[in-house]
Amino acid sequence: MKIICVIPARYASTRLPGKPLADIAGKPMIVRVYERVLNATKPAEVIAAVDDERVYEAVVKAGGKAIMTAKNHPTGTDRLAEVAQKCPDADVIINVQGDEPLIDPQIIDDLAQEFLNDENLKMATVKTPMKEEEKAKPGNVKVITDKNGYALYFSRSLIPYPREDTGVVVYKHIGIYGYRRDFLLQYAKMQPTPLEQTESLEQLRALENGYRIKVMETPYKIIGVDTQEELEKVREYIKENGLKLD
């Protein structure tokens, strides 16, 4: 089985324009992410899926592989599917967001292992216990799963609603995904669905069409970058702790 890792990176980020090239400890963010992903052992190849020549050149200059994709893709999945079309020998594609410069490579390997363990698995993602201060923020997506670890629902609202204090853990969804290549190509052709559009969460499209998403739990921290404030937090974290998460 050939597993590849693709890092979609859109230059025209709404909240942080030029985000892939934002400097983090002397290197562009996309290069920081790429270097972290290279430390995973299961992917046979790492590819940055970019839409800007400057980002392409930054990756190649750092010794990485990049593929230019269309600028007008409505979603990251569409960008991912374009790369999948160009990689017919890939069996599983792991999608790592281009704004997570401190992602732990073990998460990638653990997610890849889910596909090695289950030949029928089509799609998988990751969750981690949510901190109390994160629960009220709609930018922190929550996920609930069944007893077998498959997603029941994703939401920007707090789920489950704690009408009774039963000690149920609230989980934060981490935006790293794994797909069988054939399912990814099928998924990208599906029309947007009502719940997906309401929550602005693309993964709900798979659930609304009756597909199951395996959700793997991880203890590792994730520090993503969507805003200038978050970028400064990552820079400060690296200054104090280096490039390794606790």
Side-chain angles (χ1 to χ4, degrees):
M1 178 187 297
K2 183 175 181 180
I3 299 169
I4 68 171
C5 194
V6 179
I7 309 169
R10 187 168 68 93
Y11 184 82
S13 171
T14 305
R15 287 182 284 181
L16 190 58
K19 181 165 64 172
L21 297 181
D23 181 84
I24 296 180
K27 294 183 181 181
M29 184 186 306
I30 183 63
V31 174
R32 287 291 179 200
V33 177
Y34 197 100
E35 290 176 345
R36 296 290 288 184
V37 174
L38 281 179
N39 288 321
T41 61
K42 288 186 168 56
E45 189 174 20
V46 180
I47 303 169
V50 306
D51 66 350
D52 187 279
E53 287 288 349
R54 290 164 291 185
V55 183
Y56 179 92
E57 290 171 4
V59 174
V60 173
K61 184 179 179 181
K65 179 177 180 179
I67 291 180
M68 284 293 298
T69 58
K71 293 181 181 290
N72 60 347
H73 283 309
T75 69
T77 301
D78 294 302
R79 196 173 309 283
L80 194 69
E82 182 181 341
V83 175
Q85 289 278 14
K86 299 174 181 178
C87 300
D89 60 336
D91 299 295
V92 171
I93 296 173
I94 305 293
N95 175 13
V96 174
Q97 303 300 325
D99 57 6
E100 293 178 352
L102 291 173
I103 187 168
D104 196 299
Q106 190 60 51
I107 297 177
I108 299 167
D109 283 339
D110 290 344
L111 189 60
Q113 189 62 46
E114 295 286 341
F115 290 88
L116 294 170
N117 293 342
D118 183 357
E119 63 181 14
N120 295 313
L121 184 61
K122 296 181 181 296
M123 181 176 177
T125 189
V126 181
K127 68 178 181 179
T128 193
M130 181 168 276
K131 298 177 181 177
E132 191 64 36
E133 62 269 23
E134 296 177 316
K135 294 180 180 179
K137 299 178 181 179
N140 295 321
V141 178
K142 296 81 177 173
V143 59
I144 51 175
T145 60
D146 65 18
K147 291 182 178 181
N148 295 314
Y150 288 91
L152 293 172
Y153 195 64
F154 298 85
S155 182
R156 297 185 183 280
S157 298
L158 180 60
I159 52 172
Y161 178 78
R163 183 172 180 178
E164 301 289 343
D165 184 6
T166 61
V168 170
V169 177
V170 177
Y171 284 98
K172 179 181 180 178
H173 174 232
I174 296 175
I176 174 175
Y177 294 92
Y179 306 88
R180 295 279 174 191
R181 178 180 178 273
D182 56 351
F183 176 72
L184 171 60
L185 297 176
Q186 177 187 355
Y187 175 51
K189 293 178 182 178
M190 297 177 190
Q191 292 299 309
T193 51
L195 291 176
E196 170 194 357
Q197 293 176 316
T198 301
E199 294 260 17
S200 190
L201 294 175
E202 192 180 356
Q203 62 270 35
L204 291 174
R205 186 187 311 178
L207 296 185
E208 287 186 83
N209 279 285
Y211 293 99
R212 299 207 298 171
I213 304 174
K214 185 67 178 292
V215 186
M216 178 193 82
E217 182 174 350
T218 183
Y220 295 105
K221 297 178 183 178
I222 293 290
I223 302 178
V225 178
D226 280 321
T227 64
Q228 184 66 37
E229 181 183 6
E230 290 171 339
L231 176 60
E232 295 303 331
K233 285 182 179 179
V234 168
R235 287 170 171 166
E236 188 64 27
Y237 181 93
I238 291 175
K239 185 183 296 184
E240 295 177 358
N241 303 280
L243 291 168
K244 190 171 184 179
L245 288 170
D246 296 334

